Amino acid sequence: METEAAADRLGRSLRAGDLLLLVGPLGAGKTTFARGLARGTGSEAHVSSPTFQLVRLYPGRVQLAHVDLYRLERSAEIEGLGLDELLDQGAVAVEWGDRLGLVSARTGRCGSVLIDVLGPAKRRLRLEGEPAWSL
Ligand SMILES: Nc1ncnc2c1ncn2[C@@H]1O[C@H](COP(=O)(O)OP(=O)(O)OP(=O)(O)O)[C@@H](O)[C@H]1O
Ligand SMILES: [Mg+2]
């Protein structure tokens, strides 16, 4: 699937401190994109929706932290994520990343992947915010 292939290419360029916000409606392909990112970082981890876990870690050439804010109930939980520590350790991809708000005063690379659903198997992917990255 092209979504996963595009994410894989981007994943190869990820490094510690990189933050990617994955934004799109239910079933858009955010987890699919995170799976491609993990492949691109060299991880062989099984990537699925972290339903009951806010964060999953995939070791690879660079660690990828996979965060899903779908079930986030209080903004205090975002602070409890330890986002700065995760960014020190590796790259971070956040499903429902638009719920993150202002994260911190960090200065690493940060971009948003916007996924539009155009049809049952058709998606439009756009990348905003980080000029060094493309899809
Ligand atoms: N081009 C495509 N890109 C991504 N997903 C696609 C595409 N075409 C079809 N799909 C299907 O759409 C679904 C996307 O599911 P996925 O779990 O990745 O979405 P999600 O945005 O993470 O959903 P959720 O909002 O529940 O977290 C999968 O069943 C996938 O097979
Ligand atoms: Mg998902």
Side-chain angles (χ1 to χ4, degrees):
M1 186 188 301
E2 181 55 27
T3 299
E4 210 171 322
D8 186 317
R9 289 192 294 274
L10 181 59
R12 284 176 227 184
S13 71
L14 288 183
R15 57 189 196 217
D18 288 346
L19 176 62
L20 262 166
L21 309 180
L22 309 181
V23 180
L26 268 176
K30 301 179 291 296
T31 300
T32 303
F33 197 92
R35 183 176 301 120
L37 285 176
R39 293 293 163 271
T41 64
S43 169
E44 289 172 7
H46 174 73
V47 177
S48 58
S49 302
T51 312
F52 299 109
Q53 285 167 289
L54 221 48
V55 187
R56 286 187 189 179
L57 302 180
Y58 310 132
R61 174 184 53 75
V62 55
Q63 171 176 286
L64 179 67
H66 179 193
V67 180
D68 191 331
L69 299 180
Y70 182 62
R71 283 183 176 72
L72 193 81
E73 279 164 8
R74 294 170 303 112
S75 56
E77 290 179 65
I78 291 182
E79 287 143 39
L81 271 178
L83 192 62
D84 285 328
E85 286 81 350
L86 293 174
L87 288 164
D88 283 341
Q89 295 164 14
V92 179
V94 186
E95 294 194 41
W96 301 98
D98 44 327
R99 299 184 182 180
L100 206 50
L102 183 62
V103 274
S104 71
R106 47 178 301 280
T107 55
R109 301 192 294 181
C110 178
S112 298
V113 176
L114 312 177
I115 309 175
D116 295 318
V117 179
L118 303 183
K122 201 166 164 61
R123 305 290 187 266
R124 177 171 60 195
L125 303 182
R126 285 171 294 158
L127 206 156
E128 286 185 352
E130 174 48 63
W133 294 335
S134 59
L135 289 172

